[in-house]
Amino acid sequence: MRLDLFFKLMLIFSSLIIFVRLVDVALIRGEYFSVLASENKVRRIPIPAQRGIIYDRNGVYLAQNKEEVRIVRFEKGRAARFVETEGGVEISKNDVIVHYPSRDYPGASTSAHLAGFVGEASKDEVGQKGCSRSIFNLGDSIGRLGVELSYDCELRGRNGEELVEVDTKGGKVRELGRIEPIKGQDLNLAIDIRLQERATRALGGRPGSVVALDPKTGEVLTLVSSPSFDPKEINKNYATLAKDKSLPLFNRAIAGSYPPGSTFKIVSSAAALEEGTIDENFSFTDPGVIKLGEQSFANWLFLKRGGTEGEVNIVKAITRSTDTFFYKIGEMVGIEKIAKWAGKFGLGKKTGIDLFGETAGVVPTPEWKERVRGERWFLGNTYHVSIGQGDVGASPLQIAVATSAIANNGIICKPTVKKIDRERWIMDSCKEIGLSEKTLDLIKQGMVGACSPGGTAWPLFNFSVKYEHSPESTPAKNIQLACKTGTAETGKKDENGKIKTHAWLTGYAPVDDPEIVVTVLVEEGGEGSDVAAPIVKEILEEWFSNKQ
């Protein structure tokens, strides 16, 4: 009898539990389970938006779109996924075919560091917030470098989607609706792709960089980093490229920090003149070498041929790149004031260019040396800084910007790779750095002298160019250049025990109305006059041969 009662109570208790559960499912959470059932039947397929096209200043493609077909497959218990089509995968009736935009780069490695590349959203990025109006979806392309990264939100557009009803096995039943994607914004750059290609050929695969600017606006006309890579193959070859000791993924133009050598003498000259330490009448007799205790600081001419320059003023010192003159004025003006003027020229800080990965470089001071190295500052350190050696570090872009301050009569503009509204940009992004007309005139005279017979940049003497479409009988036109060579010691030695040097040249043209600044660096390339100057010549020939 007691056993029968126990079973009856258990039956009543079980029935009560089932009843409560039914009430919960049908009444209290019925709507929730109805939505859940509906969501299990409806799948959302993102329709990727086409990215905006990237053009150069003349309307030539740097990045465009091509279409590829991708297959989306639904399977029971799994989220929608892309199916690899290689190897002859059979397409089932339940698969959804998506016409997918992919990226194409006609310029390939010529403009890889500038245009950049895109990569598919990773598992960690899917569902994360990207640009302000959307999240990253399965298969989304995301900018990874260069302009593709900097302007990703503008270029990316807005994805559409297709709603598909599926059965309990994941098979497609029907299409329920479609929202069309919105293409991303096109982007016009200031880059001249012909100039970019010529600069790439002139470098010839050597490690280095070329930067060309419009000094009046800061628009970047050319930005080359070598060696480079093919952005169309980057996603397959990334692991190999990342381990390559030649650093093809490294953007030397904006991220490299190198001793600028004698190109820095523009800054030292400005500091000495603006601080009133010297004027146009100051002269110095070159002894060939200056001794500080057991250390010797020699002029390049003394080291090469045992010669001296005689009486040297500021113009001749720039023209002939007389190291001893700059050691002397560096001692007279002092490191703090040199550092102050280096900052005014844009060194030791980022330029603000619209590309990621820029270096600030280094302008050393006694405080910096104490903080970073734990060492005292000596006069020899000032000597080194005065000629752009020692711990000074600058990118090719920074040297181009500093040069534009002379070309543009003491005004520096923030560099931009994007084509801009000229008047508004000048108003908002250009500033005076405080150079007097006298200082500008003296430095310009010295830089013109460096590109003229008797100067250091011998490949640029008597520069002339013939217009591309002019008659054969038309004489070449002479164009006056202003420039500064640089040969910066690296501290490394070659197999013969000779110290390796970076080859620099920075300059602008024409002198009376500058329209282009060109800065070239060849890593461990040798002499600036022998190696960098011929590259600058090729670039200027390309630029002016099309100006008629």
Side-chain angles (χ1 to χ4, degrees):
M1 184 68 181
R2 288 182 180 178
L3 190 59
D4 290 342
L5 180 61
F6 173 76
F7 280 116
K8 286 179 181 180
L9 289 173
M10 286 294 295
L11 182 62
I12 293 170
F13 184 68
S14 299
S15 300
L16 185 61
I17 290 174
I18 293 170
F19 176 75
V20 170
R21 181 64 176 162
L22 286 171
V23 170
D24 176 51
V25 171
L27 299 178
I28 299 173
R29 292 201 288 168
E31 184 177 352
Y32 166 77
F33 285 109
S34 175
V35 171
L36 186 62
S38 174
E39 288 181 347
N40 284 334
K41 290 175 63 180
V42 177
R43 302 290 171 87
R44 299 174 184 270
I45 303 172
I47 305 174
Q50 289 199 2
R51 287 179 76 82
I53 297 171
I54 303 174
Y55 298 95
D56 87 334
R57 67 189 300 109
N58 299 311
V60 179
Y61 299 117
L62 269 72
Q64 58 186 349
N65 300 307
K66 63 180 182 180
E67 190 176 88
E68 63 180 56
V69 174
R70 302 193 73 176
I71 301 169
V72 178
R73 178 165 295 175
F74 299 107
E75 297 173 351
K76 186 177 180 181
R78 293 185 62 175
R81 66 186 180 90
F82 289 116
V83 179
E84 293 295 332
T85 56
E86 294 181 5
V89 171
E90 187 176 339
I91 301 175
S92 98
K93 66 176 183 176
N94 293 321
D95 292 336
V96 175
I97 297 175
V98 179
H99 294 278
Y100 220 85
S102 63
R103 214 57 164 158
D104 184 46
Y105 300 94
S109 59
T110 298
S111 53
H113 294 93
L114 174 69
F117 62 93
V118 296
E120 196 168 300
S122 68
K123 291 179 181 179
D124 293 335
E125 289 170 324
V126 170
Q128 297 297 314
K129 196 169 184 180
C131 303
S132 58
R133 58 177 178 256
S134 63
I135 61 171
F136 294 128
N137 292 307
L138 179 72
D140 270 358
S141 291
I142 301 173
R144 299 298 190 191
L145 188 74
V147 169
E148 293 277 28
L149 173 59
S150 298
Y151 290 96
D152 186 52
C153 289
E154 291 87 342
L155 292 165
R156 208 151 62 86
R158 186 178 298 182
N159 290 342
E161 68 176 9
E162 186 175 3
L163 300 182
V164 176
E165 183 180 353
V166 297
D167 59 25
T168 55
K169 295 181 179 180
K172 184 176 72 175
V173 176
R174 58 175 173 155
E175 296 176 3
L176 299 176
R178 181 183 177 93
I179 300 172
E180 295 297 330
I182 299 173
K183 180 178 175 290
Q185 299 173 29
D186 293 341
L187 186 64
N188 295 292
L189 302 184
I191 298 300
D192 185 317
I193 194 62
R194 285 185 58 170
L195 201 65
Q196 186 89 0
E197 290 169 349
R198 184 66 177 267
T200 301
R201 291 197 302 271
L203 266 176
R206 289 170 290 184
S209 173
V210 177
V211 176
L213 303 175
D214 179 340
K216 296 174 183 175
T217 62
E219 287 178 294
V220 179
L221 306 173
T222 289
L223 191 145
V224 173
S225 179
S226 175
S228 187
F229 60 93
D230 188 343
K232 291 180 285 190
E233 302 293 326
I234 184 70
N235 292 307
K236 287 193 293 186
N237 301 331
Y238 184 83
T240 301
L241 291 168
K243 295 176 183 176
D244 192 327
K245 292 181 180 180
S246 69
L247 305 178
L249 299 177
F250 182 58
N251 189 342
R252 288 163 164 82
I254 66 170
S257 183
Y258 307 91
S262 294
T263 62
F264 189 84
K265 290 172 183 175
I266 296 170
V267 174
S268 300
S269 299
L273 290 165
E274 287 299 326
E275 294 295 332
T277 304
I278 65 170
D279 60 19
E280 71 272 26
N281 298 314
F282 174 82
S283 66
F284 170 78
T285 303
D286 172 31
V289 62
I290 295 175
K291 289 189 176 292
L292 281 180
E294 295 181 358
Q295 287 186 297
S296 295
F297 297 84
N299 182 31
W300 66 269
L301 184 62
F302 184 83
L303 290 174
K304 276 195 164 187
R305 304 186 188 99
T308 61
E309 297 282 7
E311 283 294 310
V312 183
N313 61 13
I314 185 65
V315 172
K316 183 177 178 180
I318 297 170
T319 295
R320 296 289 299 159
S321 199
T322 310
D323 291 334
T324 50
F325 181 93
F326 288 97
Y327 296 147
K328 186 63 178 179
I329 66 168
E331 179 180 354
M332 293 166 65
V333 74
I335 185 58
E336 298 291 357
K337 290 176 181 177
I338 293 173
K340 180 183 81 172
W341 279 95
K344 287 177 179 284
F345 274 86
L347 304 180
K349 56 189 175 184
K350 296 180 181 180
T351 67
I353 192 173
D354 45 344
L355 293 173
F356 287 103
E358 183 182 13
T359 183
V362 177
V363 177
T365 62
E367 181 276 328
W368 176 90
K369 191 180 180 189
E370 179 66 38
R371 173 170 49 84
V372 174
R373 301 197 184 282
E375 299 172 356
R376 289 175 53 211
W377 188 269
F378 297 98
L379 180 56
N381 299 128
T382 302
Y383 280 8
H384 283 139
V385 171
S386 299
I387 63 166
Q389 290 284 175
D391 292 313
V392 185
S395 70
L397 175 65
Q398 287 176 314
I399 296 302
V401 170
T403 305
S404 72
I406 303 301
N408 199 27
N409 294 319
I411 298 173
I412 280 183
C413 299
K414 184 169 76 171
T416 174
V417 298
K418 186 179 179 181
K419 201 170 183 179
I420 43 85
D421 179 323
R422 194 177 181 92
E423 290 185 10
R424 176 171 290 184
W425 183 264
I426 290 173
M427 187 183 303
D428 296 340
S429 302
C430 300
K431 64 179 182 179
E432 291 263 7
I433 68 169
L435 294 174
S436 68
E437 190 174 332
K438 189 67 177 177
T439 293
L440 285 164
D441 180 58
L442 291 169
I443 294 175
K444 286 178 181 180
Q445 285 184 51
M447 293 180 70
V448 168
C451 287
S452 303
T456 54
W458 60 267
L460 299 176
F461 295 172
N462 303 314
F463 179 78
S464 63
V465 66
K466 195 164 186 176
Y467 295 124
E468 191 173 77
H469 303 295
S470 62
E472 193 68 32
S473 59
T474 305
K477 181 181 179 181
N478 292 322
I479 298 174
Q480 184 62 68
L481 313 180
C483 70
K484 186 69 198 75
T485 53
T487 303
E489 294 185 357
T490 65
K492 301 177 185 177
K493 293 184 178 181
D494 62 18
E495 59 276 10
N496 299 316
K498 185 179 178 182
I499 294 176
K500 295 180 179 180
T501 56
H502 298 315
W504 285 91
L505 192 135
T506 190
Y508 63 91
V511 169
D512 55 352
D513 186 19
E515 56 187 68
I516 185 170
V517 166
V518 182
T519 299
V520 168
L521 161 77
V522 180
E523 282 185 16
E524 300 179 5
E527 298 280 338
S529 55
D530 297 339
V531 178
I535 298 172
V536 171
K537 184 179 181 181
E538 283 195 50
I539 295 163
L540 292 176
E541 285 174 342
E542 177 67 37
W543 180 257
F544 287 109
S545 67
N546 291 291
K547 300 284 180 181
Q548 191 166 7

